[in-house]
């Protein structure tokens, strides 16, 4: 997973949400919307890492797949293609 791929993922998430994340209060909204749309959770802290409010770590395949599903793809690998 390259940093550019994660940056693109964040941009696409922001487009879908029609927001720019500038504070952590927005992260709670994103967390709830992802759960509602995908029926799968991405933790608050993982989303904080994704958006740079906590130090980044390597994101799990499950997290990336869930975010891709939220964007309308069947998996993260489909999203990349």
């Amino acid at each position: 997973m390259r940093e550019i791929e994660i940056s693109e993922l964040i941009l696409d998430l922001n487009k879908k949400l029609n927001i720019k994340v500038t504070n952590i209060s927005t992260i709670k909204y994103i967390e709830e919307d992802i759960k509602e749309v995908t029926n799968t959770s991405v933790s608050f802290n993982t989303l904080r890492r994704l958006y740079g409010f906590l130090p980044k770590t390597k994101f799990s395949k499950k997290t990336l797949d869930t975010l891709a599903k939220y964007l309308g793809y069947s998996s993260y690998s489909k999203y990349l293609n």
Side-chain angles (χ1 to χ4, degrees), residues 21-54:
V21 178
T22 56
N23 58 58
I24 61 169
S25 63
T26 314
I27 300 290
K28 196 71 181 159
Y29 167 78
I30 296 169
E31 178 188 23
E32 291 167 2
D33 201 46
I34 289 170
K35 185 168 183 156
E36 186 176 314
V37 170
T38 66
N39 205 26
T40 307
S41 296
V42 174
S43 80
F44 181 68
N45 283 340
T46 297
L47 291 170
R48 287 173 57 197
R49 283 184 184 87
L50 180 70
Y51 279 96
F53 293 101
L54 291 176

Side-chain angles (χ1 to χ4, degrees), residues 9 12-14 16 38 66-73 79:
L9 182 64
D12 288 339
L13 288 168
N14 290 347
K16 176 178 176 64
T38 66
T66 300
L67 294 173
K69 286 177 187 172
Y70 181 68
L71 293 173
Y73 297 88
Y79 166 78

